[in-house]
Amino acid sequence: MRYESGAILGPYEIIGAIGAGGMGEVYRARDARLKREVAIKVLPRELSRDRERLERFEREAHSASALNHRNIVTIHDISSRDEEAFLVMELIRGESLRAILGRGPLPLKRLIAVATGIADGLAAAHAAGIVHRDLKPENVMVTSDGTPKILDFGLAKQAVPVSETSSSTEMKVSRSGVVMGTAAYMSPEQARGERVDFRTDHFSLGMILQEMATGHHPFARPSGIETLSAIINDEPPPLGDAFPEPFSAIVERCLAKNPADRYGSTFDLAHDLRRLGMHSNRHAARDRPGPPRRQRWALAAAVVIAVLLVAAALSLRRGSGPPADSFQTSIAIAEVAHVIRGEVALPLALSPNGRFLVVGGMDADGLPALWLRNLNSGATRRIAQNAFSVGWSADSSAIAFFADGKLKTVPAEGGPARTVCDAKPESTPSWHGDTILYGQYSTEPGIYRVSAAGGKPERIVAPDTKHLGLPWWPYFLPDGERFLYLTLMQPPGQGDIQHELRIGSLDGSEPRTVSSSIHSRAVYANGHLLFVREGTLLAQPFDPGGGELIGQPSPLVDGLHYFRNTGLAAFSVSQTGVLAWRLAAPTSRLVWLDRSGLESGEVARGLFHPDGRLSPEGQRYAVGVIDPKLGVSDIWVYELARNSSERVTFRVLDEKAPVWAPDGQTIYYRSDGGGGPPDIFRWSPGSDEGKVFYGGPSIEEPADISPDGRFMLFVDHRQIAFGDIHVLPLQPPLAPRTFVATPFNEMSPRFSPDGRFVAYQSDLSGRPEVYVRPFDGPAASTRISMSGGTRPRWGRDGKELFFLAPAGRLMSAAMSGGTADGAPRLIFQAADIVDFDPSPDGSRFLVQLQERTSEPPIQLLTNWPGRLAR
């Protein structure tokens, strides 16, 4: 060991050695600044002296430092001294999983608890785009209370490849004959030198699971080369009847040679382990004598298998009635970085036969796309880019969606998309027979019908001028002639938006009112009308022939994403009793972070829109705060020095995106209180409520005001997830002019402090990047970010431009006029950051940190009528 007790590394004093391995020596140390004990890993000298490898390592370590999870060892710091690099980590009081395995196999209950924790930690890392690549018992610590913690995320990528040295394939053998070492836990594709993804960690975990269960590595051979050959070519030995079938099935799936045959997401793997543990705990808690252990596990296995058979039967028994039991599970899709949680686009759609689920979200580059998930096989594939709002054909053979100002269809089994017609839609299509219905909101509003074969759309339901009603959310009833739709109404003198559920007909006959107390889109399935009230999904018996509700509604699930004013309710049902929904947003913390990423104070907790703005003097913060039951928001102002807050808007409207005027008093914001698509409102101190300042033909959202107070930049959302940037004079006449308008998405414009330049984000290059262009003069843009960028924010002196890069990296570009002096540099990384604003002196940042959850955003319930019956 290189350091003795009492040695000093920067602010850290070495207390003693912990151990050594291929990636360095580990010491126990004391942090003199924060008065805490830490673990320090001093990296090998050959890594520290290789500048390129050290830079790669530092990038990986910065990514890993953002993984704030109870099952991942926290990285506090990375530094160097005298050409030696070292990591500062959380000190774990416990022992390695390798040491535990040295005493023999683990009891099944403890095995599952440890395995579930490892899978939860991996799921969090994989969701952040980080793959471990070197998962093994040596890299798992188990604390004194039994909590597993994974070490060394990001280090394996810097290890020497197998082809460069024989040392990486050498095996160390413990006293019990268990093979140890990096190569012993490689996946087949990793051993072959092929490209790896999150599923390589699944294979490594599968080997660890079998080793915890049996005490033996499943591919142990006399030499390292033979072990690698066995990993690539041989099948693992069966676990046998001593282990429950569900556990054997999990291990077998993890150890599949083909990555496509492993789990489609780590959340699903963790979920299966957790359910296995629940069965174990329930059986262990029984006081009365029961069948032998082996029989009890066989019974648990039968239950799990029966559930899977029920799910399969649902896809084949359409119309035969639901089975007796319901089953709830979670779905995570690794390819989807973020499942949308918007106001007008439905984020998911089940096929009528219950076999497929389409999910709308953002990919790793921040671009909107649609993915098709096979619920039987778990396979997922992308079906459309820059697309949104999905509707299925009644026979589940094709999907309708909107993209590029068109209504398109694509076969569910694969194939090219086909354009049906030009459309400017914002609501979900409904498809029955050869007719597709859809609604338009901002442009030529109404409900339209068009032939699925193509043609000119025909408006069949126009806005209700008497009640200022906008028809939306069409949904075919079983006869294929009539359809449900929700009318959004804002009568004069009543600021709040009202709703009325109606039944229309393709023949154009007079619509019929179903209810004026339903404030969301409604769907008919299994004899019930499903709708949402205050974030709870309800089901009420419904006679589709007479259009009558029967009895009282019953609750099905709570906490789904709901936006009252447009009636968006993020759920979908099949005709086979399957229900899917998107969870509501988790709460966020509003905190100060300094330039090293350390937290220096919490301002508030709540459901915030990622649109907050510090006042010009930096003493107040305006932000949209969301009502968790209704999904709509109001403007609040936080007095930072006094630790107090004031609510600015009070109506049941959606009011957000506040922008301060240079006087530090007036606030411009977006509101849907203007009787149509959201407009720009203005509020001044002492006013009871804001007033319409500018209302255009579509959705207008204020973004920034020039330092001289003469102009406003606003984003015109001509369709979902797309925008153009316009300039609006703040003195009459209020005649906007276009600043940036392309076929791509431009958002988040900000004036430079001198008003000469505007920074904004655009996906012109194929993913969001930050650009700067002159406010007046040539319309030439300069790209600032190099590998993705959003939310540009100028420093007060104009010499720095901050922005967010993927994986929560807060970046800074040194600016000279409208160009960057060199490449942007990383300030700090926080994977859960969703919004930020720099303080006036640039020394710290007020950021929104979204609370992490291991629960996947999509939930699935088979046989939801069975839950009603209970």
Side-chain angles (χ1 to χ4, degrees):
M1 304 292 285
R2 277 176 274 174
Y3 293 97
E4 300 291 337
S5 177
I8 301 298
L9 282 176
Y12 308 104
E13 179 185 355
I14 300 297
I15 298 175
I18 295 176
M23 287 306 297
E25 300 173 348
V26 183
Y27 299 87
R28 182 178 174 184
R30 180 178 294 106
D31 185 339
R33 299 167 303 176
L34 300 179
K35 310 298 182 184
R36 64 182 177 187
E37 290 191 356
V38 296
I40 292 182
K41 172 167 283 192
V42 181
L43 303 176
R45 286 191 173 96
E46 61 269 20
L47 174 59
S48 301
R49 293 167 181 170
D50 187 328
R51 181 176 180 83
E52 182 179 352
R53 289 180 64 203
L54 181 59
E55 288 177 351
R56 292 201 308 269
F57 163 75
E58 289 177 343
R59 288 196 296 269
E60 290 291 315
H62 281 302
S63 297
S65 68
L67 298 175
N68 180 19
H69 193 275
R70 70 186 300 267
N71 297 116
I72 298 175
V73 172
T74 302
I75 296 178
H76 296 312
D77 191 11
I78 178 171
S79 188
S80 61
R81 194 196 75 165
D82 299 331
E83 295 188 340
E84 288 195 325
F86 57 90
L87 273 175
V88 182
M89 303 175 290
E90 170 189 6
L91 178 65
I92 304 300
R93 302 184 186 279
E95 57 184 338
S96 73
L97 182 56
R98 171 59 65 205
I100 295 172
L101 288 175
R103 299 192 289 271
L106 274 64
L108 192 61
K109 182 177 178 181
R110 187 183 184 195
L111 185 162
I112 296 171
V114 171
T116 303
I118 297 172
D120 281 339
L122 289 175
H126 295 165
I130 300 174
V131 180
H132 194 288
R133 306 180 187 88
D134 193 28
L135 186 66
K136 54 188 177 182
E138 290 82 354
N139 280 338
V140 177
M141 294 291 293
V142 181
T143 66
S144 55
D145 66 357
T147 301
K149 288 181 175 284
I150 309 171
L151 288 74
D152 287 359
F153 269 101
L155 297 188
K157 191 173 185 180
Q158 309 313 323
V160 180
V162 174
S163 60
E164 294 181 17
T165 177
S166 60
S167 64
S168 63
T169 62
E170 291 177 359
M171 301 296 151
K172 296 180 180 179
V173 183
S174 70
R175 294 177 186 175
S176 61
V178 177
V179 180
M180 297 183 291
T182 296
Y185 295 89
M186 285 184 176
S187 64
E189 61 272 20
Q190 191 176 11
R192 289 192 294 263
E194 298 171 353
R195 183 178 181 273
V196 300
D197 60 19
F198 66 94
R199 293 170 295 189
T200 199
D201 289 344
H202 293 182
F203 193 91
S204 302
L205 179 56
M207 289 189 281
I208 294 173
L209 290 175
Q210 186 144 343
E211 191 170 345
M212 287 194 291
T214 66
H216 302 287
H217 188 289
F219 300 105
R221 299 295 188 270
S223 70
I225 295 297
E226 290 174 290
T227 298
L228 282 178
S229 177
I231 288 173
I232 295 172
N233 300 305
D234 298 350
E235 293 300 323
L239 286 171
D241 295 339
F243 298 94
E245 180 63 28
F247 176 74
S248 298
I250 292 170
V251 175
E252 182 179 350
R253 188 170 179 182
C254 287
L255 293 179
K257 302 295 185 186
N258 185 351
D261 294 330
R262 298 173 206 154
Y263 279 88
S265 82
T266 314
F267 284 113
D268 289 347
L269 169 56
H271 178 268
D272 282 0
L273 287 167
R274 185 171 291 103
R275 282 193 61 83
L276 191 60
M278 291 167 59
H279 283 298
S280 173
N281 292 336
R282 282 199 294 268
H283 286 296
R286 292 176 178 169
D287 294 326
R288 58 183 176 83
R293 176 175 176 270
R294 178 173 169 181
Q295 294 182 23
R296 295 200 306 267
W297 277 107
L299 177 62
V303 170
V304 174
I305 294 171
V307 167
L308 297 177
L309 291 175
V310 164
L314 284 172
S315 67
L316 301 173
R317 296 172 48 195
R318 181 178 178 186
S320 62
D325 297 316
S326 58
F327 175 72
Q328 183 173 334
T329 187
S330 303
I331 295 179
I333 300 176
E335 295 86 349
V336 185
H338 172 71
V339 179
I340 63 169
R341 193 186 282 111
E343 303 165 4
V344 292
L346 199 63
L348 74 178
L350 277 166
S351 60
N353 63 14
R355 291 180 55 196
F356 300 100
L357 176 70
V358 175
V359 175
M362 300 290 183
D363 63 16
D365 290 328
L367 295 176
L370 299 174
W371 287 266
L372 178 68
R373 173 70 167 248
N374 186 318
L375 296 179
N376 290 342
S377 69
T380 303
R381 61 182 173 86
R382 188 191 304 248
I383 60 172
Q385 187 77 42
N386 294 321
F388 55 90
S389 291
V390 175
W392 282 89
S393 62
D395 62 2
S396 301
S397 66
I399 303 159
F401 62 92
F402 300 114
D404 307 319
K406 312 284 185 182
L407 172 63
K408 301 182 178 183
T409 62
V410 65
E413 297 298 334
R418 183 179 59 85
T419 297
V420 176
C421 64
D422 291 332
K424 299 176 181 178
E426 289 151 320
S427 75
T428 301
S430 184
W431 187 351
H432 194 288
D434 63 354
T435 300
I436 299 177
L437 299 178
Y438 64 87
Q440 290 187 181
Y441 177 51
S442 298
T443 306
E444 299 175 347
I447 292 176
Y448 289 77
R449 64 177 292 178
V450 66
S451 170
K456 183 177 180 180
E458 173 193 4
R459 188 167 69 174
I460 58 173
V461 182
D464 181 347
T465 56
K466 179 180 179 181
H467 300 95
L468 297 180
L470 175 70
W472 218 9
W473 301 112
Y475 187 86
F476 270 115
L477 289 170
D479 60 19
E481 293 295 325
R482 295 174 306 139
F483 53 91
L484 297 163
Y485 68 92
L486 189 69
T487 299
L488 317 181
M489 300 179 294
Q490 198 169 20
Q494 300 181 29
D496 298 344
I497 295 174
Q498 306 298 318
H499 303 86
E500 191 169 278
L501 184 65
R502 299 176 181 176
I503 294 179
S505 178
L506 295 181
D507 63 14
S509 57
E510 190 70 18
R512 174 175 181 173
T513 298
V514 176
S515 173
S516 58
S517 61
I518 292 178
H519 305 288
S520 82
R521 55 183 285 267
V523 171
Y524 175 76
N526 297 87
H528 291 77
L529 203 64
L530 276 68
F531 56 92
V532 171
R533 183 172 293 153
E534 295 189 350
T536 297
L537 180 61
L538 304 173
Q540 186 169 356
F542 180 69
D543 173 18
E548 299 286 344
L549 287 164
I550 303 168
Q552 296 298 317
S554 299
L556 269 177
V557 295
D558 292 317
L560 56 70
H561 175 57
Y562 169 56
F563 185 75
R564 178 191 182 277
N565 286 8
T566 64
L568 181 137
F571 73 92
S572 180
V573 292
S574 72
Q575 295 303 315
T576 57
V578 183
L579 167 68
W581 68 97
R582 202 262 189 257
L583 292 174
T587 57
S588 296
R589 298 171 58 235
L590 188 61
V591 301
W592 284 106
L593 299 183
D594 64 20
R595 292 183 75 103
S596 66
L598 293 177
E599 184 176 326
S600 59
E602 180 176 289
V603 175
R605 292 174 182 250
L607 287 174
F608 302 112
H609 267 293
D611 58 10
R613 189 68 62 92
L614 279 168
S615 59
E617 82 288 352
Q619 296 300 309
R620 290 165 296 158
Y621 183 75
V623 67
V625 179
I626 303 170
D627 184 318
K629 293 291 187 181
L630 303 180
V632 299
S633 63
D634 284 293
I635 306 296
W636 286 70
V637 174
Y638 290 85
E639 296 281 351
L640 303 177
R642 296 188 297 176
N643 196 26
S644 63
S645 59
E646 175 190 2
R647 185 175 175 179
V648 172
T649 61
F650 295 89
R651 297 184 295 177
V652 186
L653 297 169
D654 190 48
E655 299 178 306
K656 58 189 179 185
V659 175
W660 295 93
D663 63 10
Q665 302 296 319
T666 305
I667 297 176
Y668 296 87
Y669 60 94
R670 166 182 158 175
S671 172
D672 57 10
D679 298 318
I680 298 172
F681 276 53
R682 181 170 61 185
W683 174 88
S684 299
S687 303
D688 292 333
E689 61 184 33
K691 303 295 183 182
V692 176
F693 178 74
Y694 173 76
S698 55
I699 299 173
E700 295 87 30
E701 183 170 293
D704 203 16
I705 294 176
S706 60
D708 59 11
R710 297 175 57 201
F711 300 101
M712 172 189 290
L713 295 170
F714 72 90
V715 179
D716 186 325
H717 294 280
R718 63 189 186 278
Q719 57 175 301
I720 299 172
F722 286 88
D724 294 327
I725 300 173
H726 297 270
V727 179
L728 178 70
L730 294 184
Q731 299 296 326
L734 302 182
R737 65 177 175 87
T738 299
F739 183 70
V740 182
T742 72
F744 305 97
N745 184 31
E746 286 85 28
M747 297 181 65
S748 299
R750 290 291 182 98
F751 279 106
S752 61
D754 59 10
R756 296 173 54 209
F757 300 96
V758 173
Y760 64 97
Q761 72 180 62
S762 172
D763 57 17
L764 172 68
S765 66
R767 65 178 173 186
E769 300 281 4
V770 172
Y771 297 83
V772 170
R773 70 188 301 175
F775 179 59
D776 290 312
S781 298
T782 301
R783 178 169 157 178
I784 304 300
S785 58
M786 298 290 104
S787 56
T790 62
R791 301 180 181 275
R793 310 284 191 259
W794 293 90
R796 184 60 58 91
D797 59 6
K799 295 181 179 180
E800 269 190 299
L801 182 63
F802 307 101
F803 62 90
L804 282 180
R809 291 176 292 145
L810 184 64
M811 310 294 291
S812 170
M815 301 297 294
S816 177
T819 60
D821 293 334
R825 60 185 181 87
L826 176 69
I827 300 180
F828 62 78
Q829 185 169 18
D832 44 0
I833 184 172
V834 294
D835 189 33
F836 76 99
D837 214 12
S839 63
D841 63 2
S843 64
R844 58 180 183 163
F845 305 86
L846 192 57
V847 305
Q848 291 183 26
L849 298 176
Q850 191 166 82
E851 292 187 355
R852 291 173 176 240
T853 173
S854 60
E855 185 74 6
I858 299 174
Q859 303 292 300
L860 195 73
L861 177 67
T862 63
N863 182 33
W864 60 265
R867 177 171 289 188
L868 287 181
R870 290 198 302 273

